Amino acid sequence: MKVKTTIKIKKFNFQSINSTFATQTIKMRLHRNLVYTTIDSLNAIFNEGEYADKVVARALKKDKRWGSSDRKFVAETIYEIVRWKRLYAEIAEVKEPFDRDNLWRMFAVWAVLRGYPIPDWRQLEGTPERKIKGRFDELSKVRALKESIPDWMDELGAKELGEKVWAKEIAAQNQPAKVILRTNTLKGTKENLRNTLMDLNIETEYLKDQPEALVLKERANVFLTDAFKQGLFEVQDANSQLVAGFLDVKPGMRVVDTCAGAGGKTLHIASLMENKGQLIAMDLYESKLKQLKLRAKRNGAFNIEYRIIDTTKVIKKLHEKADRVLIDAPCSGLGVLKRNPDAKWKLQPEFIDNIRKVQSEVLESYSKIVKPGGKLVYATCSVLPSENQEQVEKFLKTEIGKQFTFIKDRKILASESGFDGFYMALLERKE
């Protein structure tokens, strides 16, 4: 509060824009009903401000006759065009707000660069294939266009991480995210889960140094499986799974997750506590805690209490009461663009300025919950030092921060790990 391929089409080097489609020999033809659904969805995302994940979920329910390949085409095409919006718009020579003709021109760019034969539909008449490829080569010389991000974001990333690191990082953030499962150890082992999924023809691989993680070899709708409905696993990025372990929780402790949200990390903490002790999940929004309650029931996690932060008294009542406190702070989300590509277009520089202030306030306020000798983890899914280590350094100079000792931190880049970008710092309150 998160697939590297290369394709050459007709001697056209498609090195920058990677896609899961690139693993296929493209002999497919475009189907009108699937493309129309894609155009409608892009209109909702670009012009009506809807979130891509919600739009895609709705689109996939549109026609019950669609098979898995049809749904895959719709979902992946929507996400691809959202991810490369700026580049495609520049190639197509269209500007926001996009009317339907503009969206069709952007779709035509996608289709040409993916090697699809252009059908003789009225909306795609006169598609300039050679010009599209030429403009791709030309525009790819400018990083902000090549990686399809706003200029301000490119400047900020380069300023905070340095040109070389940022160039690698934003390229990695433009790769589609892999699907990672976290075994719910309250209900079984990783090995048993892998075997159960294998029986459903869902193949997974282990991850080194990740005790509960399984990586899907191919994308699949795991939410429809009985294994998910029985609470045997959650979908959670590999680096997100590191946070709960970083907190060093033990069964029987009193642990507070101060920004629980829908509770991915809360549920992981509950499993590490083996349902023993007290786990308090807090959030500003009741709707998120309601989602967490449903997930906890499915997971068999019953040591969780739920508290809405509706007044400052909720925090004050817990001052110096917790063995462990997790502050999974609200952030820019610049570490999880690969799974939330529309955030590139919804984020504004003013939001990042404001969120840094919120992070400072949250860290000062919620840190008071840690009892002497207890530990605190401050975490974000951002790669910007100004949201991460600089926040911790600033906190340690405050009145409450001087009561803490810095133990260690971990900076994780998508370009180095292959998964989401994360930051986590472990602090201990002095006795």
Side-chain angles (χ1 to χ4, degrees):
M1 170 124 353
K2 305 145 173 298
V3 185
K4 295 187 179 179
T5 52
T6 303
I7 185 169
K8 289 190 178 181
I9 300 171
K10 298 178 184 176
K11 297 183 180 179
F12 171 59
N13 189 355
F14 196 45
Q15 189 79 35
S16 175
I17 303 179
N18 298 291
S19 167
T20 49
F21 288 118
T23 61
Q24 306 167 5
T25 301
I26 300 176
K27 294 180 180 177
M28 296 171 57
R29 63 186 181 89
L30 297 169
H31 296 276
R32 204 181 290 263
N33 62 336
L34 301 179
V35 177
Y36 279 19
T37 299
T38 299
I39 297 293
D40 290 341
S41 299
L42 293 171
N43 182 62
I45 296 164
F46 293 154
N47 297 328
E48 296 169 12
E50 293 192 51
Y51 286 94
D53 57 343
K54 302 287 192 298
V55 173
V56 168
R58 186 170 70 229
L60 296 182
K61 297 175 183 174
K62 187 171 181 181
D63 194 329
K64 293 180 180 177
R65 296 170 298 175
W66 288 349
S68 59
S69 61
D70 298 324
R71 289 192 295 272
K72 181 179 180 182
F73 174 90
V74 169
E76 292 185 353
T77 306
I78 293 169
Y79 273 119
E80 283 283 294
I81 297 175
V82 169
R83 180 173 282 114
W84 302 105
K85 180 183 85 165
R86 183 179 183 187
L87 178 60
Y88 288 177
E90 291 277 353
I91 293 173
E93 298 178 318
V94 299
K95 294 186 182 299
E96 294 185 86
F98 304 125
D99 60 26
R100 291 190 77 81
D101 286 342
N102 294 159
L103 294 174
W104 275 102
R105 289 181 70 173
M106 290 170 69
F107 177 82
V109 171
W110 172 89
V112 168
L113 295 180
R114 287 288 173 272
Y116 278 86
I118 302 300
D120 59 350
W121 302 348
R122 175 185 60 79
Q123 298 93 334
L124 296 174
E125 281 179 356
T127 296
E129 297 190 39
R130 288 183 65 183
K131 183 180 178 182
I132 286 171
K133 294 172 184 178
R135 279 187 59 77
F136 171 82
D137 286 337
E138 175 192 345
L139 295 173
S140 292
K141 295 171 185 175
V142 180
R143 184 176 59 213
L145 295 177
K146 175 186 175 185
E147 302 299 351
S148 195
I149 53 176
D151 288 334
W152 70 263
M153 189 180 290
D154 189 46
E155 291 163 8
L156 178 64
K159 178 185 174 184
E160 294 219 14
L161 293 175
E163 290 284 344
K164 287 185 178 179
V165 173
W166 173 246
K168 291 179 182 176
E169 185 63 13
I170 192 56
Q173 289 288 356
N174 273 326
Q175 308 305 314
K178 294 178 182 178
V179 180
I180 316 294
L181 310 183
R182 179 182 59 75
T183 309
N184 177 16
T185 54
L186 293 175
K187 291 199 170 184
T189 65
K190 180 171 62 174
E191 292 72 25
N192 287 344
L193 174 60
R194 191 183 190 209
N195 292 334
T196 299
L197 293 172
M198 186 72 77
D199 291 340
L200 301 173
N201 294 317
I202 298 174
E203 290 189 64
T204 60
E205 296 175 330
Y206 295 131
L207 263 184
K208 185 182 178 183
D209 300 325
Q210 293 273 52
E212 291 116 19
L214 291 174
V215 187
L216 261 61
K217 285 190 177 182
E218 293 183 9
R219 297 188 78 87
N221 192 345
V222 292
F223 298 112
L224 297 178
T225 64
D226 286 339
F228 176 75
K229 293 171 185 175
Q230 292 164 8
L232 302 186
F233 67 87
E234 290 288 333
V235 174
Q236 186 178 6
D237 178 75
N239 290 335
S240 177
Q241 293 186 36
L242 299 173
V243 176
F246 208 71
L247 190 57
D248 188 29
V249 297
K250 301 284 192 301
M253 285 183 169
R254 173 182 273 190
V255 181
V256 180
D257 185 349
T258 59
C259 307
K265 297 179 185 70
T266 314
L267 295 171
H268 193 185
I269 291 169
S271 69
L272 294 175
M273 295 176 71
E274 300 172 10
N275 265 333
K276 298 169 185 174
Q278 182 187 31
L279 175 52
I280 300 172
M282 310 176 76
D283 203 87
L284 296 171
Y285 303 103
E286 185 177 8
S287 59
K288 291 185 177 181
L289 292 181
K290 283 183 177 177
Q291 289 179 50
L292 173 52
K293 284 183 183 180
L294 294 173
R295 294 175 72 185
K297 184 177 180 181
R298 188 179 67 243
N299 275 250
F302 50 77
N303 68 328
I304 305 174
E305 293 182 20
Y306 307 90
R307 300 188 190 179
I308 303 163
I309 306 173
D310 49 7
T311 68
T312 55
K313 290 180 182 177
V314 177
I315 302 298
K316 287 179 179 176
K317 284 180 180 177
L318 287 171
H319 278 186
E320 300 191 8
K321 298 283 178 64
D323 298 291
R324 299 285 186 271
V325 170
L326 172 61
I327 301 176
D328 185 19
C331 69
S332 65
L334 285 179
V336 293
L337 293 179
K338 61 168 59 195
R339 71 183 63 257
N340 297 314
D342 52 334
K344 293 196 287 188
W345 318 119
K346 288 181 165 57
L347 267 179
Q348 297 296 329
E350 301 80 27
F351 174 84
I352 296 182
D353 290 337
N354 290 331
I355 211 68
R356 291 191 194 105
K357 295 173 186 173
V358 172
Q359 289 164 349
S360 295
E361 291 166 2
V362 163
L363 194 44
E364 281 201 48
S365 175
Y366 297 173
S367 60
K368 294 172 184 174
I369 297 173
V370 184
K371 72 181 187 182
K375 292 179 181 177
L376 160 74
V377 164
Y378 171 81
T380 77
C381 54
S382 173
V383 294
L384 298 181
S386 62
E387 296 184 76
N388 297 332
Q389 55 265 41
E390 290 175 20
Q391 287 286 18
V392 173
E393 289 165 7
K394 187 165 66 173
F395 166 70
L396 291 170
K397 295 174 184 175
T398 64
E399 186 177 345
I400 178 65
K402 289 174 183 176
Q403 298 178 34
F404 283 81
T405 302
F406 175 85
I407 305 298
K408 60 180 178 178
D409 68 358
R410 188 165 181 185
K411 313 171 192 74
I412 308 174
L413 296 174
S415 53
E416 295 173 352
S417 68
F419 304 107
D420 288 346
F422 262 89
Y423 175 80
M424 55 201 85
L426 179 64
L427 310 176
E428 184 172 32
R429 191 162 187 177
K430 297 170 186 175
E431 291 281 4

